[in-house]
């Protein structure tokens, strides 16, 4: 799986999940339970992962939705 977004913004995470669900693109939110480790402060970012074969489509969806700035780039 390829990292698509890395953020600690719960609204962005929910929005991206909804966009991926609507496009029938499977995604996974990694590090979601790490909030237990940081005391539920939301300091540690969560990562949204998609399959490698769908990453370009997913990036286009985020760009079309106006949140291209959230796309994780290595």
């Amino acid at each position: 799986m390829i990292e698509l977004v890395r953020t600690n913004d719960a609204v962005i995470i929910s929005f991206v999940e909804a966009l991926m669900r609507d496009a029938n693109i499977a995604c996974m939110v990694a590090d979601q339970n790490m909030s237990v480790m940081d005391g539920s402060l939301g300091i540690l970012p969560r990562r949204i992962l998609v399959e490698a074969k769908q990453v370009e489509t997913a990036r286009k969806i985020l760009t079309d939705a106006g949140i291209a700035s959230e796309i994780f780039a290595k």
Side-chain angles (χ1 to χ4, degrees), residues 14-59:
S14 295
F15 186 44
V16 172
E17 285 182 300
L19 290 170
M20 296 301 108
R21 185 174 44 251
D22 289 349
N24 291 319
I25 296 176
C27 70
M28 180 181 103
V29 179
D31 306 324
Q32 192 163 319
N33 295 323
M34 291 301 291
S35 63
V36 173
M37 300 296 288
D38 73 7
S40 299
L41 298 174
I43 295 171
L44 298 173
R46 281 72 172 165
R47 298 175 296 136
I48 299 176
L49 309 171
V50 297
E51 292 183 24
K53 65 183 179 184
Q54 296 180 313
V55 73
E56 290 306 318
T57 303
R59 287 178 179 152

